[in-house]
Amino acid sequence: MPKAPKAKVGQNKKPIHPNSRKAAALSRKAFRDVRISKDKSARSKLDVLAEKCDWFRENIDSDKSVYTREELCELSNRYLHRFDDEIEQIDIVSRIGNRQGNQHASRLAAIKLTQDSDKNELESVGLDVPDLMNKSTFSEFKLWGGETKYVQNFKLKKIHTSDIDKVDEENITNNDSDDESDVDQA
């Protein structure tokens, strides 16, 4: 008499009753997976914000007590162009010699992705930057040690494309008037 084939694990053909203990266990597992993925995404957003705040902390003028709107927009513009030097260095290295492959392709792709997301954020809802125009926030920000868990305590300010464009236009206008005054004095 031949033996019956053994049932494979995990291929139970029977449907699960909705009120069974097995159905409850599966639903608990599904809810847990959703909750954990939500926590991970929230944590990653906080990490990105902490990285952004850390860049601002390293690039602020600690002698100031507060920033003006123009200075904050200028600092935000520098934040948006923070990878320009690295891209230029990678470009110089790739032009040297007869290299066939692009050894920095992954880094360039990461930079491009970051720049695109920053640009999309700036153009759509506005770029969240620490509110350095508020004296209390600025003083707390200077004392911040870089811990991710304290980032959520900072007030944030939204900087839009129009704000940065206004500052750029004012800088161009001021540079043109400075050039004309230099010519008049000569």
Side-chain angles (χ1 to χ4, degrees):
M1 183 165 148
K3 291 186 179 181
K6 292 185 178 179
K8 293 183 181 177
V9 177
Q11 296 199 3
N12 192 357
K13 303 283 184 182
K14 288 183 172 180
I16 298 172
H17 193 276
N19 295 336
S20 70
R21 284 182 250 162
K22 187 165 187 148
L26 288 173
S27 73
R28 280 194 308 268
K29 185 178 185 304
F31 285 132
R32 182 180 184 279
D33 291 343
V34 168
R35 189 179 68 240
I36 287 175
S37 67
K38 192 188 310 182
D39 287 346
K40 282 183 183 178
S41 68
R43 202 173 311 123
S44 67
K45 287 179 185 176
L46 204 59
D47 289 340
V48 169
L49 184 60
E51 188 176 311
K52 184 187 299 185
C53 287
D54 193 40
W55 185 91
F56 275 93
R57 186 174 55 92
E58 291 172 0
N59 289 285
I60 60 171
D61 185 8
S62 58
D63 296 334
K64 293 186 176 191
S65 59
V66 290
Y67 269 70
T68 63
R69 181 139 185 99
E70 293 79 26
E71 292 169 335
L72 185 60
C73 289
E74 187 177 313
L75 192 62
S76 301
N77 197 15
R78 281 190 11 222
Y79 173 76
L80 292 172
H81 296 287
R82 67 191 181 278
F83 294 117
D84 290 350
D85 293 337
E86 188 174 354
I87 291 172
E88 186 178 322
Q89 290 296 322
I90 290 172
D91 189 40
I92 290 170
V93 168
S94 66
R95 279 195 250 143
I96 295 174
N98 294 330
R99 297 180 185 253
Q100 298 297 322
N102 188 0
Q103 75 184 101
H104 301 289
S106 62
R107 180 63 185 152
L108 280 174
I111 290 172
K112 178 80 171 150
L113 184 68
T114 304
Q115 285 180 330
D116 288 345
S117 67
D118 286 345
K119 189 175 180 181
N120 289 338
E121 184 181 353
L122 179 72
E123 291 173 352
S124 60
V125 294
L127 188 67
D128 282 330
V129 297
D131 187 9
L132 303 177
M133 298 186 300
N134 186 337
K135 192 171 188 166
S136 63
T137 303
F138 188 65
S139 61
E140 289 174 16
F141 191 70
K142 285 196 287 188
L143 297 174
W144 177 54
E147 298 88 9
T148 305
K149 62 183 178 181
Y150 297 118
V151 170
Q152 58 196 359
N153 297 339
F154 296 133
K155 271 182 155 179
L156 299 176
K157 189 87 171 160
K158 293 229 185 252
I159 301 292
H160 298 279
T161 309
S162 58
D163 298 332
I164 292 178
D165 291 342
K166 285 179 191 175
V167 171
D168 287 342
E169 289 174 9
E170 289 174 7
N171 286 341
I172 291 171
T173 307
N174 290 341
N175 287 342
D176 289 343
S177 64
D178 289 344
D179 293 341
E180 290 173 8
S181 64
D182 290 340
V183 172
D184 293 340
Q185 291 176 358

